[in-house]
């Protein structure tokens, strides 16, 4: 199995600091969420995809996650149409029918346009989010959050959680194997009720051993002075390079533009039908 | 006013949740630059004493303190305050690692003091160099071997340059050879840094491999001896509290040699033996050699379990594979007690996983009683071969003892009547019938271990595989468990022990399968494996001190001394 995670690739995107990448990802995500302006979304997609190309991420690494996102997108679109087939008409105020399916469901140009915008949002956020996750050294993660103003204790807690996920997984696997040996069946063959019960049997030792672990780790951290000072420095922190400043400017521009489209369109939607 | 670096004065401590004090009237002075070993059985209070030094007591584990403890002339006021003077290397290195790379982890204490990054990088580099860990500084700590992990965790404490270093059971999870290196590394650090070093450990022979100034022996919360290593190893107190004497000391005693502290028996290198002593050992050895060791000839029997050219590898990435077991074949016969030994990562645990069915071999066959097991599910195999994990807390999943042991039967649909009968009889065998209706939480670690053995035995398997059955246990509990396994073995259960404890191997197992880098490199009598220096080196074991003793006494065949010891 190819693991989904950071691999150093030595590209410009890699060399940018995690802090500026988080900032850009957040800024682009928020601005793409605020507005439905097609022109703006296309611009964000252009930036997002060019960063994705610059990062030289291979398709194989992200295949699984892309399939997942695509299925999700499809379900989302079908759900929108099923529950709100006239949403586009409501938003854009005009109605051009393309195909009448039944009394309730009619395909209109406006609905298609609205759902296209929803889809464009996915395309603007997904590439940049992938770039962030695949090009940011997890070791830099806590520093990045802290640099953006998150308290260092919270920032460290987040990165510690990342660090311990594999350990909890290993622990789960060991425990579940031991329980299987005793006859607890959690495989697909077992009926769903028995499987749920089996998983509960595994959770009991897992939770207790994890709680023990947390106490040991927090004691160990305290003994090495974590939390003694108001500020701390970061071994994995790095200085900003010129690209970081460019990225920061792009991020601020993104939010600015997004707010500007709202003023310009007098709302979240750009209406080409008037 | 005294000048001692550490001073306990009439110090007692009682945990809030406990009825009786854990430490009773401790009076102890430790001077600057001393190297101290604190030994004692589990529950003697030695770890509690360590926690008092690093401040976890009373600041994180509150309780009642009487008397006083002064470190550097004053009483500590917080964990932070103590941590400026005392650096603690934890027994479980994984609990200490917070960094995503080794270097970042070493830097942790410096980061917390807001040391500028450039200073930090230099100090981390120098410290890693000091413990020879620079090679893997950029790797994630949890991907390192046991010995490497320990170096990184030591560096993470050393980087802070505290005047006192506290090692909490540093050898507990290391194989014998790595443990020896760790002892040497601690010694080197102590000499170079001029730190005061305190080692808490019950494997005293391994710690005494290098110079120690004083040994503090604890039992029942009190200090019962405070003396030199030479005095402690010949003292009767070790046997009384249940701490293992060094093997060579026991051998000398069995040979009838009377040791005195003046013979410097604290360390084999310093030990002085007179010619008469040597003669009595030689006589003892010659006498023993004339008696044949019992060996059983299995050639005619069908093996209970047979591995045929079994190989296994796992994927690191899509393209690279790591070969963990390479073409392994052996036979196990009914009624045997076999040890599987080798360094951490030699493939021992993987072997167990293949036999129990957690993993499927790439090639080869595993045959149980003439039947190929490849078609059997994990639960089906469990009725033939029981498996007991190292950590009982990972196995136990019910709050009550009875329910815990009954689980395996209940999920198999046995009637409640038969469940009760079988659980009762297995708990009887495991010496737990008195606590049959107790909650698990009331049990000691050793009792929990027995519960997990009962978990496996209740399915009536013919083979029992135990992963490190005695890890982290003091000599008394160790002996209890091993004697119990011997009695099980005598009642007909075939026992397989996965271990890196050489004492266990030599004293209890009749046969040893030695693994190194996924290969079975020897299948022999346990004593042969541990008195063959070449084999020991390959398997990252350590030849026992009996071997060195044999050389010291001019005995040509060191194996004969090991055999004499065993008979």
């Amino acid at each position: 199995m190819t693991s989904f995670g950071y691999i150093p690739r030595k590209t410009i995107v890699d060399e940018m600091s995690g802090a500026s990448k988080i900032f850009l990802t957040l800024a682009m995500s928020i601005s793409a969420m605020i507005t439905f302006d097609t022109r703006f979304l296309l611009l964000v997609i252009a930036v997002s995809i060019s960063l994705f190309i610059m990062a030289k991420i291979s398709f194989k690494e992200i295949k699984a996650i892309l399939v997942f996102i695509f299925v999700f997108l499809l379900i989302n679109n079908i759900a929108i149409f099923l529950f709100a087939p006239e949403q586009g008409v409501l938003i854009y105020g005009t109605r051009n029918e393309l195909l009448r399916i039944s009394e309730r469901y009619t395909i209109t140009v406006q609905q298609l346009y609205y759902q296209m915008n929803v889809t464009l949002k996915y395309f603007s956020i997904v590439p940049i989010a992938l770039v962030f996750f695949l090009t940011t050294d997890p070791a830099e993660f806590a520093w990045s959050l802290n640099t953006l103003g998150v308290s260092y204790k919270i920032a460290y807690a987040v990165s510690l959680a990342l660090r311990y996920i594999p350990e909890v997984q290993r622990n789960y696997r060991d425990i579940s194997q031991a329980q299987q040996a005793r006859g607890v069946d959690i495989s697909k063959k077992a009926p769903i009720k028995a499987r749920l019960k089996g998983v509960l049997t595994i959770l009991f030792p897992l939770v207790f051993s994890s709680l023990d672990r947390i106490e040991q780790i927090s004691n160990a951290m305290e003994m090495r002075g974590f939390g003694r000072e108001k500020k701390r420095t970061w071994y994995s922190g790095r200085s900003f390079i010129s690209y970081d400043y460019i990225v920061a400017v792009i991020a601020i521009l993104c939010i600015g533009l997004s707010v500007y489209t709202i003023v310009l369109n007098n709302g979240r939607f750009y209406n080409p039908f008037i | 006013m005294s000048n001692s670096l550490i001073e306990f004065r009439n110090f007692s401590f009682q945990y809030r949740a406990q009825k009786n004090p854990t430490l009773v009237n401790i009076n102890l002075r430790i001077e600057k630059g001393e190297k101290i070993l604190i030994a004692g059985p589990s529950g003697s209070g030695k770890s509690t004493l360590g926690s008092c030094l690093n401040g976890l007591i009373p600041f994180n584990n509150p309780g009642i303190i009487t008397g006083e403890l002064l470190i550097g002339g004053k009483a500590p006021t917080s964990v932070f305050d103590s941590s400026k003077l005392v650096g603690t290397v934890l027994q479980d290195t994984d609990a200490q690692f917070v960094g995503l790379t080794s270097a970042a982890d070493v830097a942790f204490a410096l980061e917390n003091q807001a040391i500028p990054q450039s200073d930090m990088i230099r100090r981390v580099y120098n410290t890693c160099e000091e413990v020879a860990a620079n090679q893997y500084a950029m790797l994630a700590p949890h991907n390192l071997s046991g010995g490497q992990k320990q170096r990184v965790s030591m560096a993470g404490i050393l980087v802070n340059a505290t005047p006192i270093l506290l090692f909490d059971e540093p050898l507990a999870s290391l194989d014998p050879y790595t443990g020896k290196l760790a002892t040497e590394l601690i010694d080197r650090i102590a000499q170079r840094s001029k730190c005061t070093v305190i080692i808490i450990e019950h494997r005293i022979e391994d710690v005494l491999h290098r110079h120690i100034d004083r040994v503090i022996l604890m039992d029942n919360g009190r200090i019962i001896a405070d003396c030199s290593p030479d005095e402690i190893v010949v003292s009767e107190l070790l046997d009384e509290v249940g701490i293992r004497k060094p093997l060579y000391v026991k051998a000398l005693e069995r040979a009838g040699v009377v040791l005195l502290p003046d013979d410097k028996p604290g360390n084999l290198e310093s030990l002085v033996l007179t010619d008469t002593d040597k003669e009595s050992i030689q006589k003892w050895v010659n006498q023993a050699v004339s008696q044949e060791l019992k060996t059983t000839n299995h050639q005619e029997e069908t093996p209970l379990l047979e591995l045929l050219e079994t190989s296994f590898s796992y994927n690191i990435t899509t393209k690279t594979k790591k070969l963990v077991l390479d073409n392994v074949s052996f036979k196990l016969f009914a009624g045997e007690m076999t040890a599987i030994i080798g360094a951490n990562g030699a493939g021992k645990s993987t072997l167990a996983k293949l036999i129990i069915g957690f993993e499927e071999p790439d090639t080869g066959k595993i045959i149980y009683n003439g039947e190929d097991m490849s078609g059997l599910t994990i639960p089906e195999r469990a009725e033939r071969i029981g498996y007991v994990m190292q950590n009982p807390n990972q196995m136990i999943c019910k709050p009550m003892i009875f329910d815990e042991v009954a689980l395996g039967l209940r999920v198999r649909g046995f009637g409640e009547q038969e469940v009760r009968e079988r659980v009762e009889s297995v708990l009887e065998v495991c010496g737990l019938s008195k606590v049959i209706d107790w909650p698990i939480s009331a049990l000691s670690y050793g009792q929990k271990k027995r519960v997990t053995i009962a978990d496996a035995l209740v399915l009536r398997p013919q083979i029992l595989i135990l992963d490190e059955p005695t890890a982290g246990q003091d000599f008394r509990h160790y002996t209890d468990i091993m004697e119990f396994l011997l009695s099980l073995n005598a009642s007909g259960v075939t026992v397989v022990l996965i271990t890196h404890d050489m004492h266990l191997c030599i004293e209890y197992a009749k046969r040893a399968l030695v693994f190194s880098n996924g290969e079975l490199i020897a299948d022999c009598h346990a004593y042969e494996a541990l008195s063959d220096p070449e084999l020991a080196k390959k398997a990252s074991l350590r030849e026992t001190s009996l071997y060195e003793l044999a050389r010291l006494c001019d005995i040509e065949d060191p194996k004969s001394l090991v055999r004499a010891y065993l008979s």
Side-chain angles (χ1 to χ4, degrees), chain A residues 135-193:
Chain A
T135 67
T136 305
D137 187 345
E140 231 186 282
F141 197 74
W143 166 78
S144 304
L145 286 175
N146 188 221
T147 308
L148 293 177
V150 178
S151 131
Y152 81 76
K153 288 186 188 169
I154 294 172
Y156 215 90
V158 172
S159 99
L160 253 191
L162 290 179
R163 141 88 174 79
Y164 275 94
I165 286 171
E167 190 175 315
V168 174
Q169 281 174 338
R170 266 200 303 278
N171 213 348
Y172 177 85
R173 200 196 50 216
D174 286 350
I175 293 172
S176 81
Q177 285 179 340
Q179 300 309 336
Q180 282 173 52
R182 298 171 64 187
V184 177
D185 197 352
I186 54 157
S187 70
K188 284 171 188 154
K189 278 185 265 168
I192 189 84
K193 206 176 150 200

Side-chain angles (χ1 to χ4, degrees), chain B residues 539-556:
Chain B
S540 189
L541 300 165
R542 200 187 142 186
E543 69 270 34
T544 61
S545 53
L546 294 182
Y547 179 79
E548 289 161 64
L549 181 66
R551 265 195 317 215
L552 207 65
C553 300
D554 311 314
I555 295 170
E556 269 175 37

Side-chain angles (χ1 to χ4, degrees), chain A residues 171 181-182 224 233 235 237, chain B residues 105 115 117 382 394 404 412:
Chain A
N171 213 348
R182 298 171 64 187
R224 289 162 86 191
T233 46
Y235 182 81
Chain B
D105 192 80
I115 307 271
Q117 201 185 22
Q394 283 193 329
E404 169 64 24
R412 283 174 172 80

